[in-house]
């Protein structure tokens, strides 16, 4: 799963930039894994993982069904410590998403997914 995420992030030419947020992305392109930063916009601006889309936890419920209609699509979530991303995983599972994973906090997720932290 992690290798697939890395390959997908490397090859997609239409990847969201780290500054893009839920407000600017209507549908996530492609069919590969999606990397979502569920921290606030302010936290996200302080540094995020390469290729991550910022969708604050408070907006996830209203955004996800339209942006990621395929409920089998792999989704990796992260936040500051892993708590909000765990809540996001529970929410997405309740909404019928089948392949959701908590990558943990930013630093843990960076190491776990082998992705650099970018500063938009």
């Amino acid at each position: 799963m992690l290798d697939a995420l890395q390959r997908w992030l490397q090859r997609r030419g239409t990847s969201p930039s780290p500054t893009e947020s839920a407000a600017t992305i209507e549908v996530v392109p492609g069919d590969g894994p999606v990397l979502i930063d569920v921290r606030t916009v302010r936290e996200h601006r302080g540094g995020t993982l390469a290729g991550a889309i910022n969708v604050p936890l408070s907006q996830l419920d209203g955004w996800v069904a339209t942006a990621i209609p395929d409920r089998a699509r792999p989704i990796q979530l992260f936040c500051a410590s892993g708590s909000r991303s765990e809540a996001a995983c529970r929410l997405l599972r309740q909404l019928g998403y089948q392949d959701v994973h908590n990558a943990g906090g930013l630093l843990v997720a960076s190491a776990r997914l082998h992705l650099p932290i970018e500063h938009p």
Side-chain angles (χ1 to χ4, degrees), residues 6 17 24 41 47 59 61 68-70 77 84 97 101 108 113:
Q6 290 169 333
S17 74
T24 61
V41 172
Q59 298 174 17
D61 187 21
I68 309 172
D70 178 3
L77 301 125
R84 283 176 283 179
Y97 288 85
H101 304 276
V108 170
L113 301 175

Side-chain angles (χ1 to χ4, degrees), residues 21-23 36-43 53-64 77-79 83-85 87-89 91-92 95:
S21 68
I36 302 175
D37 178 351
V38 296
R39 298 175 302 151
T40 65
V41 172
R42 185 175 184 186
E43 289 173 299
I53 300 168
N54 181 224
V55 186
L57 181 57
S58 62
Q59 298 174 17
L60 187 61
D61 187 21
W63 176 84
V64 71
L77 301 125
F78 69 95
C79 61
S83 297
R84 283 176 283 179
S85 50
C89 284
L91 171 66
L92 293 183
L95 294 173

Side-chain angles (χ1 to χ4, degrees), residues 1-68:
M1 171 68 183
L2 299 181
D3 290 337
L5 178 63
Q6 290 169 333
R7 286 192 306 274
W8 177 73
L9 287 169
Q10 289 171 351
R11 75 173 181 264
R12 65 179 195 177
T14 59
S15 67
S17 74
T19 58
E20 285 186 303
S21 68
T24 61
I25 299 172
E26 293 179 16
V27 177
V28 178
D31 59 1
V34 179
L35 180 61
I36 302 175
D37 178 351
V38 296
R39 298 175 302 151
T40 65
V41 172
R42 185 175 184 186
E43 289 173 299
H44 178 80
R45 287 184 186 141
T48 192
L49 295 182
I53 300 168
N54 181 224
V55 186
L57 181 57
S58 62
Q59 298 174 17
L60 187 61
D61 187 21
W63 176 84
V64 71
T66 301
I68 309 172

